Amino acid sequence: MLDLQFCLIFIPSTFSDSNFQSWLEEVSVKFNQLSDEQRNQTVDRIITLSGAVQLRHLYNRLEHLVCRDFLKLLPPELQEQLLLYLDPKTLMICCSVSRTWNQIISSSVKAWQQACTKFGFQVDRNFLIGDGPYWKRFFVEMNHRRLELRKGKCFDHQVYDRHLRKVTAVYYAKGKIATASESKIIQLWDCETDVCLLTLRTYASVASIKFDQNWIIVSSYLGHLISWDMVTGQRAVEYLRHVGAVFTFDYSKDLDVLVSGSADTKIKFWSLKRGTLLTTLQEHTSWVLKVMLCSFPRLDNSDHRRHLMFSMDKSKVRVWAVSVECNGRDPEGLYITSLYSIPLYTDDMNLFTPGLHFDNTFLYFIRQDPHLYGHSLLCKWDVRLGKMAKEIRLNVKVKALLGIGQRYAAVVTPLSNFGSSNFFAFDMNNLDLVAVSHLPSSRPSTPDCSQLTLGESDWLNGLDGKNDQGVLLAAGLEDNTVYLIKWLPRKQLSTSSDIS
């Protein structure tokens, strides 16, 4: 230690360059041999011997060493990898640190795409080459939309007085809504222009209604179903009949089959185009409240058109395999096989909750557990394996399961207080609340809530900047009106918007 200090302090008044470099090397070697405490003492001695010029030089060097911007110094590849560890809120905060950081972070495509995915926004896989600022703007806009959704500020509520008597069935598809009432009048409306496109009359009150670009089909409380041609408005086929109200039906053009479920506890299969009865199933012991046909293609190339059918009553869900063997244009045979049943685990019939949804892999439904007061279970059933994949506990009592997407689920709950929210959408990954709104209280006209329908449903897969428009929800109310909730347009924002 003393040798080094002697070398540093007693320096000859003049040094040639070669002598100075030799002396500096000797000092460096001896300095490296010191302990940390000895090095600190040596530095302190040098500082006390330094003048103004040396201290300014030391200050400038320390500023670059101690206040070094490590993000700026990293290669671009490592910068992006580092940013991927940040959550979306921290990412936005870091943009405010400095202009340099803002430029680096804003240019990271992967960081902003990951932020979008974490918050449940859809990332267009056909547009992955977009620049970083584009994805940052997209994230900020969608995040602001998310915050507004949680406050219920994204929707416009409209009431239409379109019927003389109570509305009993409502159905929405592709910008159009069909309504039916106890006055035995069916109307098809354009939701954007509010123009009535078609008016039909039937001789019985309608329990359920569906339509596509070719057909409009209704079921009645008298036990029959009727289809009309959507273009001409002419009656096409009548399906006769059940001996009880037909609460639910579905159809497949591929199979040329219409299936109906009734209060007579039977499920009937009909020829969609001819109206002839194909077969009757009697596996249920109580009212059939939901039937649903879903395509389920075979892995091989055999000449069978295969579907799954789900049927639901108040105590169980049954799963069926339905296929038609084809020869030319006419089906040779309809094959229906009962696969298994799923108990709803309750003996209390008042705990039934309507809503059954299939995403080609999982079947979703609600279970009400009488031991969990004020709670519900969203069940995710693996259809291929025939077992429960997941049960999601919801801290609300669900009145109806309206829709399921890849990311979000939409439910209606009983109205607890006047003016309070009773429509909720939540993130199935973390149960975060996504959207809320208010729907006026109305007694269901059928056990499966056929007077209540979800509008556009693609947003349940995650917001993508295009699917937050059109109709959110439609309902027929007891005061003979139709209640529509529509999306409000988004507002243009700056990229410095709040993310809390």
Side-chain angles (χ1 to χ4, degrees):
M1 175 66 183
L2 294 177
D3 291 341
L4 177 61
Q5 292 180 354
F6 179 84
C7 293
L8 292 173
I9 298 171
F10 300 102
I11 302 174
S13 58
T14 60
F15 259 137
S16 64
D17 289 341
S18 59
N19 292 335
F20 174 74
Q21 292 298 328
S22 299
W23 172 84
L24 191 60
E25 287 295 329
E26 183 181 353
V27 171
S28 299
V29 170
K30 291 187 176 182
F31 186 79
N32 287 332
Q33 295 173 353
L34 301 178
S35 66
D36 287 337
E37 180 62 29
Q38 292 172 333
R39 290 184 183 187
N40 291 340
Q41 293 179 20
T42 304
V43 171
D44 290 340
R45 178 64 64 88
I46 293 175
I47 292 175
T48 59
L49 296 176
S50 298
V53 175
Q54 288 76 40
L55 291 175
R56 177 173 293 277
H57 176 73
L58 181 63
Y59 174 79
N60 292 334
R61 291 299 304 271
L62 286 176
E63 184 178 17
H64 291 288
L65 292 173
V66 178
C67 304
R68 181 177 294 182
D69 189 341
F70 292 98
L71 183 62
K72 180 180 178 181
L73 296 176
L74 289 174
E77 297 81 4
L78 291 181
Q79 288 175 353
E80 191 157 59
Q81 288 299 317
L82 178 63
L83 295 177
L84 292 178
Y85 285 96
L86 303 182
D87 61 85
K89 185 174 182 178
T90 305
L91 205 61
M92 289 295 293
I93 294 174
C94 289
C95 288
S96 304
V97 171
S98 68
R99 181 177 298 178
T100 301
W101 277 36
N102 184 46
Q103 291 174 348
I104 294 172
I105 298 172
S106 297
S107 64
S108 174
V109 175
K110 291 183 178 179
W112 293 110
Q113 287 180 349
Q114 179 176 274
C116 291
T117 303
K118 285 183 177 180
F119 273 9
F121 310 144
Q122 289 191 56
V123 175
D124 188 351
R125 298 303 174 185
N126 297 320
F127 192 55
L128 294 179
I129 308 177
D131 59 359
Y134 166 83
W135 288 109
K136 181 182 179 181
R137 288 192 302 270
F138 175 79
F139 171 79
V140 170
E141 287 186 15
M142 291 300 98
N143 182 63
H144 184 267
R145 191 64 154 175
R146 180 183 69 94
L147 297 177
E148 292 294 295
L149 278 171
R150 295 175 67 177
K151 300 175 183 177
K153 296 182 178 180
C154 293
F155 308 121
D156 180 34
H157 299 250
Q158 301 176 2
V159 180
Y160 298 91
D161 188 4
R162 292 172 172 170
H163 291 273
L164 299 177
R165 300 184 65 182
K166 180 182 177 181
V167 177
T168 58
V170 178
Y171 186 76
Y172 175 89
K174 297 182 179 180
K176 299 180 180 62
I177 186 169
T179 61
S181 70
E182 291 179 349
S183 58
K184 304 172 185 177
I185 294 176
I186 302 164
Q187 293 180 324
L188 182 69
W189 294 80
D190 187 302
C191 294
E192 184 175 354
T193 61
D194 293 332
V195 173
C196 182
L197 306 175
L198 184 65
T199 299
L200 303 170
R201 295 183 181 274
T202 183
Y203 55 82
S205 295
V206 172
S208 186
I209 185 170
K210 285 187 177 182
F211 68 87
D212 57 27
Q213 66 272 21
N214 304 116
W215 301 79
I216 182 167
I217 306 176
V218 301
S219 66
S220 78
Y221 287 98
L222 293 183
H224 69 286
L225 301 95
I226 304 174
S227 65
W228 285 267
D229 187 292
M230 278 284 288
V231 177
T232 64
Q234 298 297 313
R235 182 175 295 191
V237 182
E238 190 166 4
Y239 310 87
L240 298 172
R241 81 174 49 222
H242 287 269
V243 295
V246 180
F247 295 128
T248 177
F249 68 91
D250 203 357
Y251 60 93
S252 167
K253 293 181 179 179
D254 292 336
L255 298 179
D256 184 32
V257 162
L258 182 145
V259 57
S260 57
S262 169
D264 63 10
T265 73
K266 295 180 176 61
I267 298 172
K268 292 182 180 289
F269 282 78
W270 316 81
S271 169
L272 179 62
K273 297 177 181 177
R274 299 187 300 273
T276 55
L277 180 63
L278 301 177
T279 189
T280 300
L281 304 179
Q282 303 186 51
E283 300 293 329
H284 287 274
T285 57
S286 59
W287 291 1
V288 181
L289 302 175
K290 183 70 175 179
V291 292
M292 186 167 59
L293 275 175
C294 303
S295 60
F296 199 68
R298 297 172 66 93
L299 298 178
D300 56 21
N301 295 320
S302 58
D303 193 18
H304 285 71
R305 290 173 292 178
R306 185 182 181 188
H307 281 55
L308 286 176
M309 184 184 75
F310 306 98
S311 58
M312 187 180 196
D313 60 27
K314 290 186 176 182
S315 62
K316 62 180 175 296
V317 178
R318 295 197 69 91
V319 183
W320 311 74
V322 181
S323 61
V324 174
E325 186 175 340
C326 303
N327 183 10
R329 296 184 177 179
D330 297 324
E332 286 188 346
L334 177 66
Y335 300 92
I336 305 170
T337 305
S338 177
L339 300 179
Y340 53 82
S341 63
I342 310 169
L344 297 182
Y345 286 162
T346 176
D347 296 327
D348 188 345
M349 293 302 177
N350 294 322
L351 293 180
F352 168 75
T353 303
L356 198 62
H357 301 274
F358 182 56
D359 66 0
N360 292 325
T361 302
F362 299 102
L363 182 69
Y364 296 86
F365 53 91
I366 294 290
R367 275 180 176 164
Q368 302 285 0
D369 190 334
H371 303 293
L372 296 175
Y373 179 76
H375 296 77
S376 306
L377 294 176
L378 174 60
C379 300
K380 181 179 180 181
W381 182 273
D382 191 314
V383 173
R384 287 186 182 272
L385 299 180
K387 67 178 183 179
M388 190 68 70
K390 188 176 183 181
E391 286 186 340
I392 303 173
R393 181 173 176 175
L394 309 179
N395 294 324
V396 292
K397 184 176 178 61
V398 176
K399 179 180 178 181
L401 177 62
L402 293 181
I404 291 286
Q406 296 174 7
R407 188 68 184 246
Y408 307 141
V411 301
V412 171
T413 65
L415 193 61
S416 56
N417 298 305
F418 179 76
S420 62
S421 299
N422 57 341
F423 169 84
F424 299 96
F426 60 90
D427 192 321
M428 291 188 292
N429 290 347
N430 50 32
L431 295 184
D432 283 349
L433 189 63
V434 175
V436 299
S437 189
H438 169 73
L439 182 68
S441 178
S442 183
R443 185 177 61 185
S445 57
T446 59
D448 66 333
C449 292
S450 62
Q451 86 287 6
L452 182 62
T453 183
L454 189 68
E456 299 294 341
S457 59
D458 184 61
W459 68 276
L460 293 177
N461 297 324
L463 297 174
D464 66 357
K466 301 175 183 177
N467 54 18
D468 53 340
Q469 57 184 333
V471 174
L472 172 76
L473 187 66
L477 304 183
E478 290 182 279
D479 60 0
N480 309 339
T481 61
V482 177
Y483 195 87
L484 252 63
I485 304 178
K486 295 184 177 181
W487 290 86
L488 289 172
R490 285 197 316 276
K491 298 178 181 179
Q492 295 296 324
L493 304 170
S494 67
T495 55
S496 60
S497 298
D498 182 24
I499 194 173
S500 61

